Amino acid sequence: NAGVTQTPKFRVLKTGQSMTLLCAQDMNHEYMYWYRQDPGMGLRLIHYSVGEGTTAKGEVPDGYNVSRLKKQNFLLGLESAAPSQTSVYFCASSYLQGSETQYFGPGTRLLVL
Amino acid sequence: LAKTTQPISMDSYEGQEVNITCSHNNIATNDYITWYQQFPSQGPRFIIQGYKTKVTNEVASLFIPADRKSSTLSLPRVSLSDTAVYYCLVGTRTGFQKLVFGTGTRLLVSP
């Protein structure tokens, strides 16, 4: 049982490049989330999904897109990366909604030059 | 969403008990209180959750007074490995709610 995994672990992009971050969970969870964490700050919710084929905006969605084509996968896309998107990205999943326990992945560290 | 307030940082020594208090004056009737722990370069990890009175597990205890306007996470006999950031969150378990992670409390345990 791998839990929540994220790919890649680290990436360097140039401004304007695009990339996709992959999150996978093997716990059959309905809910999945993407957060970003900047130095010295808490996590901020980017987008979330309440089930396969559904996505919704979180607190800081601008500049990101997401897709949930399969229940176990949640993809975060950056169409045109900007230096302000330099951050650590965490994916999480939960079985139920609300404040039910969220299980987090190890994070993806992204540097945009 | 109920706003939470917790100390920015705390220092302790190995073997001591650490109590981190979180204020949530606007907590709603259906809200639960949840604490997460985050080590450097890792994602947050669930520690404990409660609704009222006291909850204890193998890692920590959570004390919630009758008015539920605050809660205290208690870590018994901390070790160096308990150095981490601790987040207090408040949210309902019914109906989707976007959890808000504040800046947390940075706990430093020294030898």
Side-chain angles (χ1 to χ4, degrees), chain B residues 73-85:
Chain B
L73 174 72
S74 181
L75 305 173
R77 298 179 299 281
V78 295
S79 64
L80 297 178
S81 62
D82 291 316
T83 292
V85 178

Side-chain angles (χ1 to χ4, degrees), chain A residues 37 42 48 97-100 102, chain B residues 36 38 49 87 91-93 102:
Chain A
Q37 185 173 37
Y48 63 95
Q97 57 198 1
S99 62
E100 189 65 26
Q102 291 189 23
Chain B
Y36 283 81
Q38 185 179 26
Q49 184 179 74
Y87 296 97
T92 181
R93 294 182 70 171

Side-chain angles (χ1 to χ4, degrees), chain A residues 6-26:
Chain A
Q6 294 183 230
T7 309
K9 288 184 172 53
F10 176 70
R11 183 78 181 267
V12 178
L13 287 180
K14 294 182 180 179
T15 297
Q17 287 185 319
S18 63
M19 78 164 293
T20 299
L21 282 67
L22 171 64
C23 175
Q25 53 95 2
D26 61 2

Side-chain angles (χ1 to χ4, degrees), chain A residues 12-112:
Chain A
V12 178
L13 287 180
K14 294 182 180 179
T15 297
Q17 287 185 319
S18 63
M19 78 164 293
T20 299
L21 282 67
L22 171 64
C23 175
Q25 53 95 2
D26 61 2
M27 297 174 282
N28 201 34
H29 285 169
E30 289 292 336
Y31 300 85
M32 297 188 74
Y33 319 81
W34 275 108
Y35 293 89
R36 62 175 288 173
Q37 185 173 37
D38 301 309
M41 298 182 66
L43 284 79
R44 292 184 292 171
L45 183 64
I46 304 171
H47 285 279
Y48 63 95
S49 169
V50 301
E52 181 179 320
T54 72
T55 63
K57 294 180 180 180
E59 186 184 352
V60 289
D62 294 341
Y64 305 94
N65 56 75
V66 288
S67 64
R68 183 104 181 265
L69 298 180
K70 293 182 179 181
K71 185 177 183 178
Q72 64 267 34
N73 295 336
F74 195 28
L75 278 63
L76 178 71
L78 286 73
E79 290 187 349
S80 179
S84 61
Q85 294 178 304
T86 293
S87 189
V88 180
Y89 292 86
F90 290 102
C91 175
S93 70
S94 64
Y95 180 62
L96 294 176
Q97 57 198 1
S99 62
E100 189 65 26
T101 303
Q102 291 189 23
Y103 295 84
F104 284 80
T108 294
R109 190 172 298 272
L110 176 64
L111 174 62
V112 183

Side-chain angles (χ1 to χ4, degrees), chain B residues 10-19 75-83 107-111:
Chain B
M10 295 182 68
D11 295 320
S12 183
Y13 292 97
E14 282 190 293
Q16 290 189 332
E17 179 185 72
V18 171
N19 296 309
L75 305 173
R77 298 179 299 281
V78 295
S79 64
L80 297 178
S81 62
D82 291 316
T83 292
L107 172 66
L108 175 63
V109 180
S110 301

